[in-house]
Amino acid sequence: MSDTAAGAVIVISSHVVRGSVGNRAAVFALETLGHPVWALPTVVLPWHPGHGRSTRLTFAEADFDHAIDDLIAAPWLPEVKAVLSGYFGNAAQARSVARLVTALREKNPDLIYACDPVIGDAGGLYVPEATAEAIRDHLIPLASLATPNRYELAWFAGAPLEDNNAVMEAALALGPSRMLVTSAVPMMTGGTGNLYLSGRNALFAEHRSIDNAPNGLGDLLSAVFLSRLLSGMDEERALQLTTASVYEVLARAVKRGSDELTLAADASSLSTPMAMVQMRHLLHPAQRRKK
């Protein structure tokens, strides 16, 4: 894939010195799959907070906003085909990125904006509520694609999502035309899956659940799926390959006993995954309403 065909992606998320989460995962995946990347960190950490306390390096809100101004005025903007956002250090950053996406869309209406709303998991929110609300109110409405986990989607919906019909209804209500929900309700014993909903497809990709998974899987999945869509791949094939890639990277890291995803060693899993994924077609909510 040539750089021109692949298109550049602006990736905006956290950066760790050691590890494969946030921008470290997304940038590696996108560059491996042929995309030039413009990477903007929202915070810098020595390592993922799950490994223990470390110094959190932050940016003044005004400085971050001025950097967004620079990107909006950059002479190379025609290179950019997509924006991917993940973890934000504060609510102001989310509002700044909304301004960036809006400005880029004025110049390129076909720009894809993928919003990975990194706000929490089964244990609850791990960002301030104001940051989660800013993502919900300013970024989700702009998203071409959103990739929440089930717990994040439930927070946006304000209700527990105890089955996949509820997940799909919440995804429709949230608004983006394409939604990829991770940690959806498993349909096979010992499984975990990704539920994808668009205007024409309701798809479920499932694989065996693996305990003690390293962090960064959501960041990796968002980047790989975005790349598949940018390549023009059809949605079902994109979901299958993306799920296979992420599962394969996870399985290999756990087999090595690593506390981080081992992306450099497993780059081939991103481009040519071999893992088997169970694919299902679900009844789309729009079809259910017609009955």
Side-chain angles (χ1 to χ4, degrees):
M1 191 188 302
S2 70
D3 287 355
T4 302
V9 181
I10 299 177
V11 181
I12 305 169
S13 191
S14 58
H15 176 87
V16 292
V17 177
R18 174 193 183 270
S20 299
V21 301
N23 268 11
R24 288 290 302 275
V27 172
F28 182 91
L30 286 163
E31 290 184 337
T32 297
L33 293 171
H35 301 270
V37 176
W38 302 14
L40 175 63
T42 53
V43 299
V44 177
L45 298 160
W47 48 74
H48 186 276
H51 294 320
R53 290 180 60 85
S54 62
T55 301
R56 178 185 175 101
L57 305 177
T58 60
F59 303 99
E61 292 178 6
D63 290 343
F64 188 89
D65 205 47
H66 291 328
I68 293 294
D69 287 334
D70 292 341
L71 293 178
I72 291 171
W76 312 280
L77 275 184
E79 300 172 5
V80 176
K81 299 296 188 296
V83 175
L84 169 62
S85 69
Y87 181 88
F88 288 105
N90 54 55
Q93 290 180 340
R95 293 189 291 269
S96 295
V97 171
R99 194 163 60 81
L100 171 67
V101 172
T102 299
L104 296 187
R105 283 244 173 92
E106 290 175 357
K107 300 175 182 180
N108 175 15
D110 296 326
L111 178 92
I112 294 177
Y113 169 47
C115 178
D116 181 16
V118 183
I119 63 171
D121 56 27
L125 290 181
Y126 45 63
V127 299
E129 192 165 318
T131 302
E133 290 172 347
I135 293 170
R136 178 194 65 197
D137 297 341
H138 297 282
L139 292 177
I140 291 292
L142 294 173
S144 317
L145 166 71
T147 60
N149 62 42
R150 177 160 49 111
Y151 311 103
E152 290 163 340
L153 180 58
W155 189 87
F156 290 134
L161 305 177
E162 296 175 349
D163 60 54
N164 285 330
N165 287 333
V167 170
M168 288 189 286
E169 292 291 352
L172 278 180
L174 194 58
S177 59
R178 289 176 285 194
M179 181 85 72
L180 177 53
V181 184
T182 62
S183 304
V185 180
M187 300 182 72
M188 65 182 187
T189 302
T192 185
N194 301 320
L195 193 159
Y196 177 73
L197 189 72
S198 68
R200 61 178 180 269
N201 282 316
L203 303 168
F204 194 75
E206 193 168 18
H207 57 75
R208 178 174 58 86
S209 181
I210 297 178
D211 293 332
N212 302 315
N215 296 106
L217 295 172
D219 306 301
L220 183 65
L221 179 136
S222 298
V224 175
F225 191 67
L226 173 60
S227 175
R228 300 299 185 201
L229 293 181
L230 285 170
S231 75
M233 188 176 292
D234 73 82
E235 294 174 335
E236 182 170 359
R237 182 65 171 159
L239 178 62
Q240 180 184 19
L241 283 181
T242 299
T243 303
S245 288
V246 174
Y247 173 65
E248 198 168 294
V249 167
L250 165 61
R252 291 182 172 182
V254 170
K255 186 176 181 179
R256 293 187 181 101
S258 175
D259 64 352
E260 291 283 350
L261 300 178
T262 47
L263 295 179
D266 298 323
S268 64
S269 295
L270 302 179
S271 54
T272 54
M274 304 297 290
M276 298 296 293
V277 173
Q278 175 71 47
M279 296 292 297
R280 304 174 194 264
H281 287 258
L282 305 181
L283 183 64
H284 196 287
Q287 294 174 306
R288 191 164 55 246
R289 292 191 185 108
K290 291 178 182 177
K291 294 190 174 184

